[in-house]
């Protein structure tokens, strides 16, 4: 994906399998880099292409008067959508629940939490690798 959230640092929160091919990785504690502040982000990672294919964000900016927006980034040139503003996106559990509803509908797959330590470690490595790539 060429156009995605401007992030180069974040903390791993949790990860989930989406069918056999995709992983959703949730992140938080994202420092401000630019005009948009991302409070929470879920990245959908394709295990085959080894690239992100979709993002859902809880985002705000100084220009939107403190409102928290639900955003999506899809493959394609400059494909960013805004799904509306609500204070509910400031709550991580509410944000993740909505993000998963959107992901399940888009990819037509159920989401299952990753619980094995080995798979969690792999998810953290994917996130770290992607973030390091963004620094270049």
């Amino acid at each position: 994906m060429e156009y995605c959230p401007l992030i180069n640092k974040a903390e791993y929160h949790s990860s989930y399998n989406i069918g056999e091919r995709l992983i959703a990785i949730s992140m938080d504690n994202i420092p401000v880099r630019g005009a948009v502040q991302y409070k929470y982000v879920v990245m959908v990672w394709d295990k085959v292409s080894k690239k992100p294919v979709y993002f859902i964000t809880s985002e705000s900016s100084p220009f939107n008067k403190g409102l928290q927006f639900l955003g999506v980034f899809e493959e394609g040139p400059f494909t960013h959508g805004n799904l509306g503003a609500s204070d509910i996106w400031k709550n991580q559990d509410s944000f993740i629940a909505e993000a998963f509803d959107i992901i399940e509908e888009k990819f037509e797959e159920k989401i299952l939490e990753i619980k094995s330590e080995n798979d969690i470690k792999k998810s953290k490595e994917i996130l770290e690798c992607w973030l390091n790539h963004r620094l270049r």
Side-chain angles (χ1 to χ4, degrees), residues 28-112:
D28 56 17
N29 295 319
I30 304 161
V32 176
R33 183 178 173 216
V36 177
Q37 167 65 53
Y38 298 103
K39 187 163 182 70
Y40 311 116
V41 174
V42 173
M43 172 178 67
V44 177
W45 182 266
D46 186 315
K47 294 187 248 183
V48 176
S49 70
K50 297 185 180 351
K51 294 180 181 178
V53 295
Y54 196 71
F55 289 87
I56 299 181
T57 61
S58 172
E59 59 186 66
S60 63
S61 80
F63 310 109
N64 59 25
K65 302 177 185 174
L67 296 173
Q68 199 73 23
F69 287 87
L70 189 66
V72 295
F73 291 79
E74 300 187 64
E75 289 192 83
F78 306 105
T79 309
H80 176 257
N82 179 329
L83 302 179
S86 174
D87 281 344
I88 198 168
W89 312 135
K90 292 178 181 178
N91 176 280
Q92 193 167 26
D93 292 335
S94 298
F95 164 74
I96 288 174
E98 182 66 19
F100 288 173
D101 286 347
I102 293 166
I103 290 167
E104 284 182 342
E105 184 176 322
K106 176 169 181 58
F107 294 100
E108 299 179 345
E109 294 278 2
K110 288 290 181 194
I111 295 175
L112 301 171

